[in-house]
Amino acid sequence: VEPLKVGICGLGTVAQGVLSVIQKNTALINRRAGRIIEISVVASRNPRPEVDLHGATFSNDIFEIPLRNELDVIVELIGGEDDASKVIKLALENGKHVVTANKAVMAIYGEKLLQAASASKLSLGFEGAIAGSVPIVMNLTEALIANEYELIAGIINGTSNYILTAMEKEQKTFQDALREAQDLGYAEADPKYDIEGVDAAHKLSILSALAFGTSLNFEKVHIEGISSITLNDIKYAELLGYSVKHLGITRRAENGVELRVHPCLVSSEHLMSRVEGSMNAVLVSGNAAGETLLAGPGAGALPTASAVVGDIMRAARSNFMPITVGESGPHILPIADAINPHYLRIPSLDRTGVFAKVATILSDYNISIDAAIQNEQIAVDEGDEGWVPIVILTHAVSESIMVEALEKVQKLPDIVGSITRIRVEHLGTDSK
Amino acid sequence: VEPLKVGICGLGTVAQGVLSVIQKNTALINRRAGRIIEISVVASRNPRPEVDLHGATFSNDIFEIPLRNELDVIVELIGGEDDASKVIKLALENGKHVVTANKAVMAIYGEKLLQAASASKLSLGFEGAIAGSVPIVMNLTEALIANEYELIAGIINGTSNYILTAMEKEQKTFQDALREAQDLGYAEADPKYDIEGVDAAHKLSILSALAFGTSLNFEKVHIEGISSITLNDIKYAELLGYSVKHLGITRRAENGVELRVHPCLVSSEHLMSRVEGSMNAVLVSGNAAGETLLAGPGAGALPTASAVVGDIMRAARSNFMPITVGESGPHILPIADAINPHYLRIPSLDRTGVFAKVATILSDYNISIDAAIQNEQIAVDEGDEGWVPIVILTHAVSESIMVEALEKVQKLPDIVGSITRIRVEHLGTDSK
């Protein structure tokens, strides 16, 4: 068999990881792939003479690589959206298999790119785009393929999870935890993309399309980040038996598909609550398999390279199936239709009768209370100026009703600050 | 495309699960498989007229099914070893793809069967043989294929995990927990196969061969079950920061491959310690991916059917790769070479100086002590007759040295009963 000739566009962290994995596992990779996998050329606009290309040639023209006749596979690792999608498009047009770890490109242009790949019987692998070495794409599209999917819920942004874990385990404030994440290189200097949920929304829109056959609906994802979560919320959640996790959730409901990224209270009994630090985890609930959970390193050069090289090897073995999305799927439900229990933290004047007033309003909207805490002692920087937090856990209620009720509560003269509301997500543990 | 015609041998729980999954997910299964999947015939020596075969014909001759010209795939779900392996062999000889959920057959005859399948370019799917709906076979043979594997460690027997969890969470004795598992149908009337580790050893020998290319070495697995674990051990382990889990472990060491099934102390900080009840979980450590963990229902009609139907669909799509084992692998290390920290519970007379004598012997063998407990209060039914348990956690030491040292300790006149020894397994959490 001829060697498989690969061109890599990009020479950043992940590209270097790919070079390194192929170098150190050469013998087993060639044996398992059934042919030699040869990195012929690496292209980047930023030459890095210090990187050992292990015999590959270098080009500074990323757009030339997809056109080269001798190449079988183009690996897109340049990041960004426009140039990356152009490279992928060119490669598919020129009959090359493509592997990418670019979630933004897949979330925005993925549908057309997958159609193009499928029409030309080419592989478009993107396992590395979602959760590092966690093989969620293959599990959704192959291993669990006999299932009607009911729910995909995942910790799919390692930076956010790192920060929330540092808050929970080390009692750090959000700001301190963020700074620590930045110092350790987990968070970018401008961390908005991660902590405001955009990165997770990119990944979730891909997972939702894979699971439910919907279009790639990045623009319809309801997105909330973690910057409004305080250490107090984490402590109250813990008292109530929950951890605060930032989840991407997509669920098949009666009239459509839910698609939302936001902080959640997750039961401390559920495995998901124990996924810590920069680790990622995705729970898949199917009507035959029950709930399976896949966890592992969600980012990093080598874990992402593990997924990328796996995709290259599948192309080498011609062992891939077309992935189609957007064919048949149900529509995306607005966030107003989501039904969840809610955690509420209501800053109120420290006087009798306030709780009763709040409870009365909730009751008027048929929102029942599951648990409540009024305990100043665990609060940090609260209660200093004559106010106390009322913490309430409600039973499940539709988002729109909750929002309406809270508007009324917020207007009570006893309420001295903005109400914090966090959805509670019951992930369950039983197979159905 | 022609429909894929399937014959099922067996009509027990899993076979009924397969019929049920194909019935309820017909539309999506046919769409995703790209062709109609038709169960043509079901064969069993025990007719069950009460089971709806959804249009399939019935035969009471399981050996006739693999010979039928019109069938494309034979699904072996009869259990046992001899007849089941005969059915699979016949099917492969007659050019049929095969799907099985039979771990015993795969552990014992798998190597030859995989060779036969590979030589005839046929699929032999056995995802359902290992951990129910947890897609560990596909992850090892495809998704994580770029990795040199370092360690596979799994909770791969749901019955044992159910019992250990009931002991830990509900303070049940082993006997009470076992009885409960039997009442709930998790454990057989004769539970030996599960609780003595044979079932886990079957599965582990398959995982080890997949990961390390060794032969299927069921007969070389070091096997210990959970029947010697007491509630006291679980309580002491908890005090020391560990849970007791029954793991199958296979690890690449310098001179070969470790292959062992036994109870372990697993750090309470590790996700594996939170895998509870009848759930299964497999941790895969690779030199690129780092540590990934897959968890889910390890048994049951529908979860196993999820894996079996997935394998049928892969055959329908001609989307499978030959799996070869036994080609090149390193040899299996004897248990004497294993290096672990150990938990020791030493029943001793309640008098001063005993601990010093024990510590001196350990020290003579260069075994250092990491932690120790002498605390009667948490013990159940211990210390009643003038004796107390000495509980010691050691640092890592080779099994053979530990065994030798403990022979000496056991002979001390102050030691009044058999010493309990449980290996501590450091699974780690970082990617390398």
Side-chain angles (χ1 to χ4, degrees):
Chain A
V1 200
E2 291 284 293
L4 183 89
K5 296 199 186 231
V6 179
I8 299 179
C9 293
L11 193 42
T13 320
V14 175
Q16 292 177 45
V18 169
L19 287 167
S20 154
V21 168
I22 289 182
Q23 178 65 13
K24 74 174 169 183
N25 292 347
T26 306
L28 78 82
I29 285 175
N30 291 342
R31 189 177 71 239
R32 291 182 188 160
R35 59 202 283 198
I36 291 168
I37 293 187
E38 177 189 311
I39 308 294
S40 305
V41 56
V42 177
S44 170
R45 282 169 293 204
N46 308 103
R48 294 177 193 249
E50 77 280 11
V51 177
D52 183 354
L53 302 181
H54 302 301
T57 57
F58 180 81
S59 163
N60 53 21
D61 181 359
I62 54 170
F63 297 116
E64 168 240 344
I65 303 302
L67 310 178
R68 288 204 187 182
N69 272 332
E70 74 274 19
L71 297 179
D72 303 301
V73 179
I74 305 301
V75 180
E76 182 283 302
L77 298 170
I78 53 178
E81 293 168 21
D82 294 343
D83 289 349
S85 65
K86 194 173 155 195
V87 164
I88 296 174
K89 200 162 161 283
L90 277 174
L92 293 172
E93 284 169 4
N94 284 277
K96 318 292 189 196
H97 300 295
V98 173
V99 178
T100 178
N102 193 320
K103 50 235 161 189
V105 163
M106 288 307 296
I108 296 167
Y109 304 102
E111 201 159 324
K112 287 202 171 141
L113 295 173
L114 286 168
Q115 278 164 6
S118 174
S120 308
K121 298 194 192 309
L122 294 166
S123 169
L124 170 51
F126 54 96
E127 186 69 81
I130 297 193
S133 62
V134 179
I136 182 62
V137 174
M138 178 169 280
N139 280 292
L140 282 178
T141 58
E142 306 219 357
L144 298 173
I145 192 173
N147 288 267
E148 175 140 67
Y149 296 114
E150 292 165 350
L151 167 71
I152 316 291
I155 294 172
I156 46 181
N157 182 271
T159 308
S160 293
N161 201 50
Y162 182 89
I163 291 170
L164 290 174
T165 304
M167 292 172 76
E168 182 178 311
K169 298 285 163 187
E170 299 160 44
Q171 315 292 306
K172 286 196 196 310
T173 63
F174 173 79
Q175 285 303 337
D176 288 347
L178 170 59
R179 209 167 305 121
E180 184 181 279
Q182 285 170 323
D183 290 347
L184 289 169
Y186 288 132
E188 308 288 326
D190 175 4
K192 236 186 297 177
Y193 196 72
D194 288 320
I195 66 173
E196 295 305 343
V198 176
D199 174 71
H202 280 145
K203 295 165 179 167
L204 182 70
S205 61
I206 301 171
L207 293 179
S208 182
L210 294 178
F212 301 115
T214 61
S215 288
L216 281 159
N217 287 297
F218 169 64
E219 73 292 349
K220 291 184 190 163
V221 183
H222 174 81
I223 307 177
E224 295 172 33
I226 59 167
S227 57
S228 66
I229 303 295
T230 67
L231 188 50
N232 287 335
D233 294 319
I234 286 176
K235 290 180 170 186
Y236 287 122
E238 207 171 348
L239 267 187
L240 293 162
Y242 294 85
S243 282
V244 178
K245 291 293 179 191
H246 189 246
L247 296 184
I249 294 166
T250 181
R251 188 194 299 268
R252 191 167 54 85
E254 216 171 309
N255 306 314
V257 168
E258 296 180 9
L259 193 62
R260 48 199 170 89
V261 165
H262 53 75
C264 297
L265 265 62
V266 175
S267 166
S268 307
E269 299 292 308
H270 196 282
L271 214 48
M272 187 69 88
S273 73
R274 307 295 177 157
V275 174
E276 293 175 356
S278 63
M279 207 180 198
N280 280 20
V282 184
L283 180 145
V284 178
S285 176
N287 71 345
E291 293 198 356
T292 53
L293 182 108
L294 281 65
L302 292 187
T304 308
S306 165
V308 168
V309 179
D311 279 341
I312 296 173
M313 292 170 75
R314 304 192 79 200
R317 311 204 296 179
S318 299
N319 178 32
F320 56 85
M321 295 303 293
I323 293 175
T324 42
V325 299
E327 72 223 308
S328 66
H331 82 289
I332 303 300
L333 296 169
I335 189 69
D337 289 5
I339 295 173
N340 282 95
H342 291 257
Y343 158 97
L344 307 173
R345 183 166 53 86
I346 307 170
S348 75
L349 289 176
D350 189 8
R351 57 164 81 139
T352 52
V354 185
F355 187 88
K357 288 184 201 169
V358 172
T360 303
I361 294 176
L362 294 179
S363 164
D364 288 346
Y365 283 88
N366 280 317
I367 300 169
S368 56
I369 294 176
D370 181 27
I373 303 177
Q374 276 184 286
N375 181 350
E376 295 169 50
Q377 293 181 321
I378 75 145
V380 177
D381 300 331
E382 281 190 340
D384 288 349
E385 303 171 38
W387 62 273
V388 293
I390 296 174
V391 173
I392 290 174
L393 209 61
T394 75
H395 284 289
V397 54
S398 90
E399 180 97 3
S400 51
I401 290 173
M402 178 54 89
V403 168
E404 222 180 300
L406 287 190
E407 272 172 23
K408 285 226 172 142
V409 173
Q410 187 73 69
K411 282 180 192 151
L412 287 173
D414 317 82
I415 305 307
V416 296
S418 292
I419 298 170
T420 298
R421 172 172 67 94
I422 309 175
R423 296 172 197 88
V424 179
E425 206 63 42
H426 285 307
L427 298 171
T429 49
D430 301 303
S431 65
K432 283 164 198 169
Chain B
V1 201
E2 290 283 293
L4 183 89
K5 295 201 187 228
V6 179
I8 298 179
C9 293
L11 194 42
T13 320
V14 175
Q16 292 177 46
V18 169
L19 287 166
S20 155
V21 167
I22 288 183
Q23 178 65 17
K24 75 176 167 181
N25 292 348
T26 305
L28 78 83
I29 284 174
N30 292 341
R31 189 177 71 239
R32 291 182 188 160
R35 59 202 284 197
I36 290 167
I37 292 187
E38 178 190 311
I39 307 294
S40 305
V41 55
V42 177
S44 169
R45 282 167 296 204
N46 308 102
R48 296 177 192 248
E50 76 280 12
V51 177
D52 184 353
L53 301 183
H54 302 301
T57 58
F58 180 81
S59 162
N60 53 22
D61 181 0
I62 53 170
F63 297 115
E64 166 242 345
I65 303 301
L67 310 178
R68 288 204 188 180
N69 272 332
E70 75 274 20
L71 297 178
D72 303 300
V73 179
I74 306 300
V75 180
E76 182 282 303
L77 298 170
I78 54 179
E81 294 167 23
D82 294 345
D83 289 348
S85 64
K86 194 173 156 193
V87 164
I88 295 173
K89 199 161 161 283
L90 277 173
L92 293 172
E93 283 168 3
N94 283 278
K96 319 292 189 196
H97 300 294
V98 172
V99 178
T100 177
N102 193 321
K103 51 235 161 189
V105 163
M106 286 307 296
I108 296 166
Y109 304 101
E111 203 159 323
K112 286 200 172 145
L113 295 173
L114 286 168
Q115 277 164 7
S118 175
S120 308
K121 297 193 192 312
L122 294 166
S123 168
L124 170 51
F126 54 96
E127 186 69 81
I130 297 194
S133 62
V134 178
I136 182 63
V137 174
M138 178 169 280
N139 281 292
L140 281 178
T141 58
E142 306 219 356
L144 298 173
I145 192 173
N147 288 267
E148 175 141 65
Y149 296 114
E150 292 165 349
L151 167 71
I152 317 290
I155 294 173
I156 46 181
N157 181 269
T159 308
S160 293
N161 201 49
Y162 181 89
I163 291 170
L164 290 174
T165 304
M167 292 172 76
E168 182 178 312
K169 298 285 163 187
E170 298 161 45
Q171 316 291 305
K172 287 197 195 312
T173 63
F174 173 79
Q175 286 303 336
D176 287 349
L178 170 58
R179 209 168 303 123
E180 184 182 278
Q182 286 171 323
D183 290 348
L184 290 169
Y186 288 130
E188 309 288 325
D190 176 3
K192 237 186 296 177
Y193 196 72
D194 287 320
I195 65 173
E196 296 303 345
V198 176
D199 175 70
H202 280 144
K203 296 166 180 167
L204 182 70
S205 60
I206 301 170
L207 293 178
S208 182
L210 294 177
F212 301 115
T214 61
S215 288
L216 281 159
N217 288 297
F218 170 64
E219 73 292 349
K220 291 184 188 160
V221 184
H222 174 80
I223 307 178
E224 296 171 32
I226 60 166
S227 56
S228 66
I229 303 295
T230 68
L231 188 48
N232 286 335
D233 294 319
I234 286 175
K235 290 180 172 185
Y236 287 123
E238 207 170 349
L239 267 187
L240 294 162
Y242 293 86
S243 282
V244 178
K245 292 292 180 190
H246 188 248
L247 296 185
I249 294 166
T250 182
R251 188 194 298 268
R252 191 167 55 85
E254 217 172 305
N255 306 312
V257 167
E258 297 181 8
L259 192 63
R260 47 199 171 88
V261 165
H262 54 74
C264 297
L265 264 63
V266 175
S267 165
S268 307
E269 298 293 308
H270 196 283
L271 214 49
M272 187 69 89
S273 74
R274 308 295 177 158
V275 174
E276 293 175 356
S278 62
M279 208 179 197
N280 280 19
V282 184
L283 179 145
V284 178
S285 177
N287 71 345
E291 293 199 354
T292 54
L293 183 110
L294 281 64
L302 292 187
T304 308
S306 164
V308 168
V309 179
D311 278 341
I312 297 172
M313 292 169 76
R314 303 192 81 201
R317 310 203 296 178
S318 300
N319 177 33
F320 56 87
M321 295 303 294
I323 292 175
T324 42
V325 299
E327 69 222 311
S328 67
H331 82 289
I332 303 300
L333 296 169
I335 188 69
D337 289 4
I339 296 174
N340 282 95
H342 291 257
Y343 158 98
L344 306 173
R345 184 166 51 86
I346 306 170
S348 76
L349 290 176
D350 189 7
R351 56 165 82 139
T352 52
V354 184
F355 186 88
K357 288 184 201 169
V358 172
T360 302
I361 294 176
L362 294 180
S363 166
D364 289 345
Y365 283 87
N366 281 316
I367 300 169
S368 57
I369 295 176
D370 181 27
I373 304 176
Q374 276 186 285
N375 181 349
E376 296 170 49
Q377 293 181 321
I378 74 145
V380 177
D381 299 333
E382 281 189 340
D384 288 349
E385 302 172 39
W387 63 273
V388 292
I390 295 175
V391 173
I392 291 174
L393 209 61
T394 75
H395 284 290
V397 55
S398 90
E399 181 99 3
S400 51
I401 291 174
M402 179 54 92
V403 167
E404 223 181 298
L406 287 189
E407 271 171 23
K408 283 226 172 143
V409 174
Q410 186 74 68
K411 280 179 192 150
L412 286 173
D414 317 81
I415 306 307
V416 297
S418 294
I419 297 170
T420 298
R421 173 172 66 93
I422 309 176
R423 295 174 198 87
V424 179
E425 207 62 40
H426 285 308
L427 298 171
T429 48
D430 301 303
S431 64
K432 283 163 198 170

